[in-house]
Amino acid sequence: MKTESTNDPGSVLQEGERIFARTWKLLALRGAIAIAFAFVLLVWPDIGLTAMVALVGAFAIASGFMSGAAAFALSGAATRHRVWLAVNAILGLVVGVAVLLWPDLSAKALLYAIAIWAIAAGVIELVAAFVLPLSGTRTVLVAVGGIVLAAFGVVMFVEPGNGAIALLALVAAYALVRG
């Protein structure tokens, strides 16, 4: 009788695919929320700063909640991989609560809060891509997503844009990339 070793690359890869299978619906819902958020920003170009702050806060909390739910959907051997989703969840919840607690943020402060969130989430996803036991294609997708998010956050810091339309376009672009 042949038993599989926990060091066997095939069994580790299968575990990674099982992890993905248990969380993909929640992560897809997080992406759908991000795309809906971007759509609202693009359709409502004359949104006020206060409304945008409220939308960003609600989006960050919803994103954090979905990541947290995905983290707790993992069971058994997958619990050691929860940390990446849990850190991402905490990050989204902290950003969302902070933005909602300070609704009088300036446009630039809101942009920087989103930039910090994008960089941190991108780094988390990039590290997770190589730590989680995923197939080659999924590793590449998660890694590229992390790189794009982090790069987007850096661009937001380097070129914060001028005016509300630039802010709106950058925030919508972030949400589309996140989705």
Side-chain angles (χ1 to χ4, degrees):
M1 177 186 265
K2 182 179 175 184
T3 59
E4 287 188 38
S5 166
T6 57
N7 294 331
D8 176 30
S11 67
V12 171
L13 188 58
Q14 287 174 350
E15 176 189 355
E17 296 302 313
R18 284 193 303 272
I19 290 169
F20 183 75
R22 285 193 293 266
T23 61
W24 79 269
K25 288 180 184 175
L26 291 167
L27 296 177
L29 181 57
R30 181 183 74 180
I33 290 169
I35 292 168
F37 171 71
F39 182 74
V40 167
L41 290 179
L42 292 173
V43 171
W44 192 12
D46 59 345
I47 186 173
L49 184 59
T50 303
M52 186 185 291
V53 168
L55 276 173
V56 168
F59 167 62
I61 289 172
S63 178
F65 178 74
M66 289 298 132
S67 292
F72 288 103
L74 300 177
S75 61
T79 56
R80 69 180 180 273
H81 300 301
R82 264 185 208 179
V83 70
W84 302 107
L85 285 169
V87 169
N88 205 353
I90 291 168
L91 178 65
L93 293 171
V94 166
V95 168
V97 169
V99 166
L100 291 177
L101 284 178
W102 293 291
D104 57 345
L105 283 173
S106 69
K108 195 167 264 191
L110 178 62
L111 185 77
Y112 288 143
I114 294 168
I116 290 168
W117 183 23
I119 292 168
V123 169
I124 290 167
E125 287 185 19
L126 183 60
V127 170
F130 296 103
V131 172
L132 294 176
L134 298 172
S135 68
T137 305
R138 289 202 176 110
T139 297
V140 169
L141 287 174
V142 173
V144 167
I147 290 168
V148 169
L149 277 177
F152 180 76
V154 169
V155 167
M156 288 176 77
F157 265 115
V158 174
E159 294 290 331
N162 296 320
I165 298 300
L167 172 68
L168 184 68
L170 284 172
V171 173
Y174 166 77
L176 284 173
V177 167
R178 186 77 176 142

